[in-house]
Amino acid sequence: MLLLHLTNIDEASWAASFRKALAPYPVVLRGDDFDPADVRYIFVWKPKADAFEGLTGLEAILSLGAGVDALMQHPNLPDLPVVRFVDEDLSQRMSDYVVAHVTMHHRQYTRFQRDQKARNWTQVYPPAAGETTVGIMGMGVLGQDAVRRLKPLGFSLRSWSRTPKHVEGVECFAGDEGFEPFLTGTDILVNLLPLTPDTAGILNTETFSKLRRGSLEGGPVIINAARGGHQRESDIVAALKDGTLGAASLDVFEVEPLPKDSPLWEIENCYITPHIAAISNKKSGVRYFSRIIEDHRAGKPLINVVDRARGY
Ligand code: NDP
Ligand code: OXD
């Protein structure tokens, strides 16, 4: 039996799609008439504190989110495999966001927007893509997809990950010792890291001050599409105001929704989106998790299982 527990999401419509995909396998919601001991899988998004209560026969936890940082902090998370969402559609959406914001900043969107408002005709030529280095933090599923889609546009690419990588056409850095050399050659910093104790607050003044200066007019740029816990917003505000950063694109925030009184709203060179970079699509989500359940029932191992020790 599969139990759905999705907070602030239309559970009933996901349940209907799972019932169709998995029939005759039973799919239930809390409030339905079922014995909790019969539940083998729970599909979660922002599970409440009592989400796992009574699920004595549970075999795996399925996470609608690709990022599992909040789930890892759940006070009653059972010691069972957690399968996270890995999906081509999700990767494509994230890369759409990354490519849009990288190209916008590379082509000096803030400057020309300001000039247009002032009816100011000043010819400043953006560098060619090959003269601009995009540094991707996190070379997992999303980082690798972003690199694949940025490469044909001609950008110079570098990456930073926990363990060393070899990706053609990308200068790869890894570990603590690789962080500073990675930053010092980066003009546009894209964050696609998971939020863990090691990566919390990584987008801070010290990091910004190491980025390459002099290549992009106005200063280096950050793009954060991963988690709000990666950024120190007071540092971003200060860096955007004093020119340490030329611009920032932020899809995620320390507190979501972003509070109405956040100074970020008012900053001209800060581009805010409300955590919409990449939504988990219902059609592909149901297909992916139904396949996981069917394969597991048939004795195959679970895939994309979170490593609890690493936290992602
Ligand atoms: P993956 O787990 O596939 O990749 C994580 C990458 O980060 C890996 O390359 C890993 O290194 C690297 N990494 C982890 N810890 C460190 C560290 N301490 N130092 C350096 N590198 C590190 O994750 P995904 O690509 O699937 O997703 C990334 C994040 O994107 C998610 O965790 C989620 O928070 C966010 N996200 C945001 C969405 C949005 O709409 N804004 C939508 C979906 C996801 P290594 O390869 O060596 O293990
Ligand atoms: C995710 C997200 O992690 O939507 O999937 O942020």
Side-chain angles (χ1 to χ4, degrees):
M1 180 178 289
L2 166 68
L3 169 65
L4 272 64
H5 182 111
L6 308 174
T7 305
N8 299 332
I9 287 182
D10 184 359
E11 266 186 343
S13 112
W14 279 79
S17 297
F18 268 117
R19 284 192 187 110
K20 222 187 233 175
L22 283 169
Y25 194 75
V27 177
V28 294
L29 294 170
R30 286 274 182 197
D32 291 348
D33 184 20
F34 67 95
D35 181 351
D38 291 338
V39 173
R40 299 286 169 267
Y41 306 94
I42 182 168
F43 178 55
V44 296
W45 175 250
K46 299 189 177 162
K48 304 214 167 81
D50 62 357
F52 305 102
E53 227 164 69
L55 307 185
T56 51
L58 198 61
E59 295 177 21
I61 299 155
L62 313 177
S63 165
L64 171 59
V68 292
D69 45 288
L71 188 55
M72 291 296 112
Q73 301 301 317
H74 192 284
N76 304 310
L77 188 67
D79 187 14
L80 290 169
V82 173
V83 176
R84 73 186 189 96
F85 194 33
V86 171
D87 178 51
E88 251 178 53
D89 177 85
L90 184 84
S91 300
Q92 164 83 68
R93 288 167 196 264
M94 179 58 85
S95 292
D96 291 345
Y97 170 89
V98 170
V99 168
H101 286 259
V102 164
T103 50
M104 176 176 100
H105 293 301
H106 162 239
R107 292 300 302 188
Q108 300 287 318
Y109 178 84
T110 307
R111 190 220 157 84
F112 290 117
Q113 179 75 356
R114 194 188 309 125
D115 282 358
Q116 180 176 342
K117 281 193 185 139
R119 297 168 185 251
N120 175 16
W121 181 277
T122 303
Q123 288 178 310
V124 172
Y125 295 94
E131 294 166 335
T132 300
T133 301
V134 182
I136 309 276
M137 297 205 289
M139 269 302 261
V141 174
L142 300 181
Q144 294 197 29
D145 195 75
V147 153
R148 193 163 61 82
R149 295 182 199 273
L150 286 165
K151 212 183 281 181
L153 301 180
F155 289 103
S156 169
L157 297 170
R158 51 178 47 203
S159 71
W160 182 65
S161 50
R162 197 176 51 83
T163 55
K165 301 271 180 286
H166 300 281
V167 181
E168 206 192 316
V170 181
E171 196 177 353
C172 298
F173 298 81
D176 290 347
E177 63 290 352
F179 193 46
E180 186 163 340
F182 162 75
L183 292 174
T184 54
T186 293
D187 302 310
I188 300 178
L189 182 67
V190 179
N191 179 32
L192 291 172
L193 288 167
L195 182 61
T196 68
D198 291 337
T199 64
I202 195 164
L203 295 173
N204 58 39
T205 303
E206 196 185 344
T207 297
F208 305 153
S209 66
K210 288 179 179 152
L211 292 168
R212 182 158 77 168
R213 300 197 68 78
S215 173
L216 277 186
E217 208 220 33
V221 170
I222 60 161
I223 297 173
N224 185 13
R227 283 291 182 265
H230 287 127
Q231 68 201 20
R232 296 275 173 261
E233 281 165 21
S234 53
D235 289 6
I236 295 177
V237 170
L240 289 171
K241 287 188 171 168
D242 71 14
T244 303
L245 290 177
S249 289
L250 308 175
D251 183 59
V252 288
F253 300 90
E254 286 176 21
V255 176
E256 295 181 6
L258 181 63
K260 294 256 187 253
D261 63 355
S262 167
L264 290 169
W265 290 110
E266 296 289 336
I267 301 179
E268 185 196 28
N269 47 350
C270 184
Y271 297 86
I272 291 173
T273 47
H275 201 144
I276 50 78
I279 182 120
S280 300
N281 168 283
K282 187 167 68 174
K283 195 165 162 215
S284 54
V286 167
R287 196 187 317 121
Y288 170 82
F289 285 110
S290 297
R291 179 75 184 274
I292 284 189
I293 291 171
E294 282 169 350
D295 283 353
H296 193 239
R297 295 324 292 160
K300 293 191 189 154
L302 294 167
I303 56 167
N304 298 320
V305 174
V306 174
D307 180 329
R308 296 272 187 119
R310 289 184 329 194
Y312 67 96

